[in-house]
Amino acid sequence: MHQDIHHVLLTAEQIDARVKALGQIIARDYRDVGDLVLIGVLKGCTVFMVDLARAIDIPLSIDFIATSSYGSGTHSSGVVRLLKDLDMDIAGRHVLIVEDIIDSGLTLSYLHAQFLKREPASMRICTLLNKPSRRDPTVTLTVDYLGFDIPNEFVVGYGLDYAEHYRNLPYIGVLKPEIYTH
Ligand code: IMP
Ligand code: MG
């Protein structure tokens, strides 16, 4: 285990099993619908996105969007900035937004509202992790596909970072508090 990790919350095996199950559910739900577009929110989604996409055995497209992140802090500013827009036109298509983690929910609320204006045929949300206890009271999002609900702890690995580190850890671990408090 990495020396900065306090404990492992989800092992690589647990993540793998859940991602494969999610892929099967999504494939079943969209098999007869068609024209599925996975939209990943960079950069946290990357590892989850490639594993999830390979677990969905129906035709699909992939696109990415980038928003402003936490910088090197561990709490959302609530201000969302679009750094990179989609390459694709999503009008009339079936959109599935793929996130690493929903915390306050402010990032996804903003993206959801922006994408709705582009008139997709449908739009759903898939997140690997969810911190329900952290949701901002103004947020009314529904998570359609969920990997795991987790407690209110700062986690890294499997794409998730702290100050751009730890994204390559194959598991999801709780960061030692002294790493971000000093
Ligand atoms: P929200 O707008 O507060 O829901 O923030 C969502 C984004 O914050 C996620 O996509 C992550 O990039 C980041 N984030 C929230 N919690 C964590 C965490 O525990 N570890 C790493 N990144 C996090
Ligand atoms: Mg993110």
Side-chain angles (χ1 to χ4, degrees), residues 2-111:
H2 192 290
Q3 59 185 10
D4 296 349
I5 300 299
H6 183 268
H7 62 274
V8 174
L9 191 65
L10 297 163
T11 65
E13 292 73 25
Q14 286 175 300
I15 297 167
D16 182 62
R18 188 67 195 129
V19 171
K20 288 198 168 113
L22 278 177
Q24 284 177 9
I25 296 165
I26 292 166
R28 181 201 66 197
D29 290 356
Y30 286 91
R31 197 170 301 279
D32 300 324
V33 173
D35 209 15
L36 173 61
V37 189
L38 304 183
I39 297 181
V41 185
L42 292 171
K43 302 176 225 174
C45 77
T46 48
V47 180
F48 178 41
M49 177 67 119
V50 295
D51 284 349
L52 182 69
R54 287 180 295 181
I56 303 174
D57 72 340
I58 58 169
L60 55 78
S61 314
I62 292 176
D63 204 347
F64 292 99
I65 197 153
T67 58
S68 59
S69 73
Y70 284 173
S72 54
T74 58
H75 287 92
S76 182
S77 60
V79 180
V80 181
R81 216 156 42 97
L82 204 59
L83 303 177
K84 182 216 166 290
D85 202 347
L86 294 170
D87 296 333
M88 290 175 187
D89 182 4
I90 56 169
R93 308 194 65 187
H94 294 280
V95 168
L96 181 59
I97 304 176
V98 178
E99 256 283 29
D100 52 352
I101 185 165
I102 305 181
D103 188 56
S104 70
L106 292 167
T107 307
L108 262 193
S109 284
Y110 171 82
L111 289 179

